[in-house]
Amino acid sequence: MITLRPRLAALAARVPQGARVADIGTDHARLPLWLLQRNVTQSVIAADIADGPLARARALADRVDLSDALVLVKSDGLKALSEDDIDTVVVAGMGGETIADILQTTPWSHGKHLLLQPMSRPERLLAYLHGAGLDVSEHCVEDNGRRYCIFECNRGNAQ
């Protein structure tokens, strides 16, 4: 059974039951696999720009017998994904400016439920989100002595 550290568990707790999720920059795919194991998601796409993380994700999916359920996609942000397949977008573990760039290059993402957890420069991400007219709620969690903030934007909450 997949377990999550508090940072990822806080993200998982905000994923709606039955969501169609894309985890961008998935790295090891722990979050998508956790969601699948607990039948939280209707479907989940684990996307990463690099082959190494996708190989690690595949290996972990194989170990927990979820290879058939996990969709792995090599993608630069959301560029290789279809907006029709996703209602919730998770982007975690990147800098705030990188997350903002991903959202800016994929305007359809603004109409999705966004769960964003920057590792650095959260002010850059917040400035982008507010500039795009999105209403943001903030949730923070402690993990291993560090404070992490999650920015959540729900569908249809543009100002």
Side-chain angles (χ1 to χ4, degrees):
M1 194 64 110
I2 297 290
T3 58
L4 299 177
R5 295 190 52 93
R7 176 178 72 88
L8 292 179
L11 284 162
R14 302 204 128 4
V15 173
Q17 184 68 39
R20 296 172 300 136
V21 177
D23 180 30
I24 307 304
T26 196
D27 191 23
H28 40 58
R30 293 187 75 79
L31 177 62
L33 291 168
W34 187 94
L35 294 169
L36 286 168
Q37 281 185 327
R38 285 152 184 85
N39 296 312
V40 173
T41 57
Q42 182 179 31
S43 64
V44 64
I45 298 167
D48 208 287
I49 195 169
D51 292 326
L54 292 172
R56 285 192 298 276
R58 173 61 63 208
L60 183 55
D62 288 344
R63 273 198 306 274
V64 296
D65 199 28
L66 285 170
S67 294
D68 293 339
L70 182 67
V71 177
L72 293 171
V73 176
K74 186 171 182 177
S75 181
D76 180 1
L78 291 155
K79 291 177 184 174
L81 305 181
S82 168
E83 69 179 294
D84 296 334
D85 296 334
I86 303 161
D87 56 37
T88 301
V89 176
V90 177
V91 188
M94 299 178 202
E97 66 281 8
T98 301
I99 297 172
D101 287 345
I102 288 169
L103 299 175
Q104 186 173 20
T105 59
T106 319
W108 58 258
S109 65
H110 296 184
K112 305 300 179 181
H113 179 206
L114 302 175
L115 293 168
L116 314 168
Q117 186 274 300
M119 296 298 276
S120 62
R121 306 190 119 200
E123 71 284 354
R124 295 278 298 271
L125 177 57
L126 275 175
Y128 171 78
L129 295 171
H130 289 302
L134 296 171
D135 185 28
V136 181
S137 58
E138 186 174 332
H139 317 280
C140 296
V141 62
E142 290 276 328
D143 188 348
N144 202 25
R146 183 171 172 190
R147 181 182 163 128
Y148 296 93
C149 292
I150 297 165
F151 303 126
E152 182 173 17
C153 304
N154 289 305
R155 289 185 301 273
N157 69 353
Q159 299 170 348

